[in-house]
Amino acid sequence: DMVSSIRHFGVRATEVNLACMDKEMTNTMVSDVLCLSPRLTRTLSEIVFHKTKGNPLFFSQLMMSLCKDGLVRLSLSRRRWEWEEEKIQSRKLPDDVAAFLTSSIEKLPQEVQMALSTLSCFGHATNATLIKALEGKCGSTLIEPLEIAVAEGFLDKVDDTYSFGHDRLQEAA
């Protein structure tokens, strides 16, 4: 596996196993994300738990999607977050994380989808130097669309390295 390969080269790696969250932990996460009392977020977190089954990756992607789509939004007049429970409840989502991530990627502009697809062929993380070399060889822009993917939460960028935050994101790309 990838962690064993990394360790083989003398690189220290820490594995973090994320278990699914229960209803209470989901409510704590929603409460923390929205900076509201758990009492106020309970109904939203129950809907989110039902839709994500407590999967942490699915949870984070769903929360970002709800904010992007305006179903969870900041009310300046009330000075707090508010949401539309009925619309969130009735929102149709794929049954698994991979399908949800794929459908989220499909909403991105075509050039961003192509850049993510290209990047996914080079493993979990890729240096900008390699990406720039690819741009020169294939004649298409990659860095600019990848910056959009970073802004949308599909990639992480540290220094000059673009990486997928989760293997499911790389697979979906």
Side-chain angles (χ1 to χ4, degrees), residues 2-173:
M2 185 171 67
V3 175
S4 298
S5 297
I6 291 171
R7 286 186 179 137
H8 175 74
F9 290 104
V11 177
R12 288 182 25 187
T14 302
E15 286 185 63
V16 177
N17 294 316
L18 295 178
C20 286
M21 301 180 292
D22 61 14
K23 283 184 180 182
E24 198 56 44
M25 178 56 71
T26 301
N27 189 39
T28 300
M29 292 292 291
V30 172
S31 170
D32 288 350
V33 167
L34 301 180
C35 299
L36 291 171
S37 158
R39 174 182 55 80
L40 297 174
T41 60
R42 184 148 327 273
T43 56
L44 173 61
S45 63
E46 285 176 3
I47 296 168
V48 169
F49 178 80
H50 175 74
K51 292 193 174 289
T52 64
K53 297 172 182 57
N55 181 301
L57 176 61
F58 206 174
F59 168 85
S60 65
Q61 292 295 317
L62 176 61
M63 290 299 291
M64 284 192 298
S65 175
L66 293 175
C67 289
K68 264 190 242 175
D69 296 344
L71 297 176
V72 173
R73 64 192 167 284
L74 187 59
S75 169
L76 296 178
S77 62
R78 296 181 69 198
R79 295 184 189 171
R80 59 166 257 184
W81 290 91
E82 57 187 22
W83 49 90
E84 298 184 44
E85 287 178 20
E86 296 80 24
K87 287 184 180 178
I88 296 169
Q89 183 71 43
S90 64
R91 186 173 190 177
K92 185 75 174 139
L93 294 176
D95 291 333
D96 68 351
V97 177
F100 180 74
L101 293 173
T102 300
S103 70
S104 297
I105 289 172
E106 289 171 350
K107 293 177 185 174
L108 295 170
Q110 189 66 34
E111 64 273 5
V112 178
Q113 292 180 43
M114 291 302 297
L116 283 171
S117 179
T118 302
L119 187 69
S120 72
C121 297
F122 291 90
H124 164 74
T126 307
N127 189 284
T129 306
L130 174 62
I131 297 168
K132 289 175 185 171
L134 285 170
E135 284 182 330
K137 293 290 184 190
C138 67
S140 63
T141 304
L142 295 172
I143 295 287
E144 191 175 312
L146 291 177
E147 288 295 332
I148 294 170
V150 169
E152 293 290 328
F154 290 97
L155 289 176
D156 297 322
K157 183 180 178 191
V158 177
D159 298 324
D160 275 349
T161 302
Y162 293 88
S163 62
F164 290 95
H166 194 280
D167 60 340
R168 291 295 186 123
L169 284 168
Q170 181 182 354
E171 290 168 11

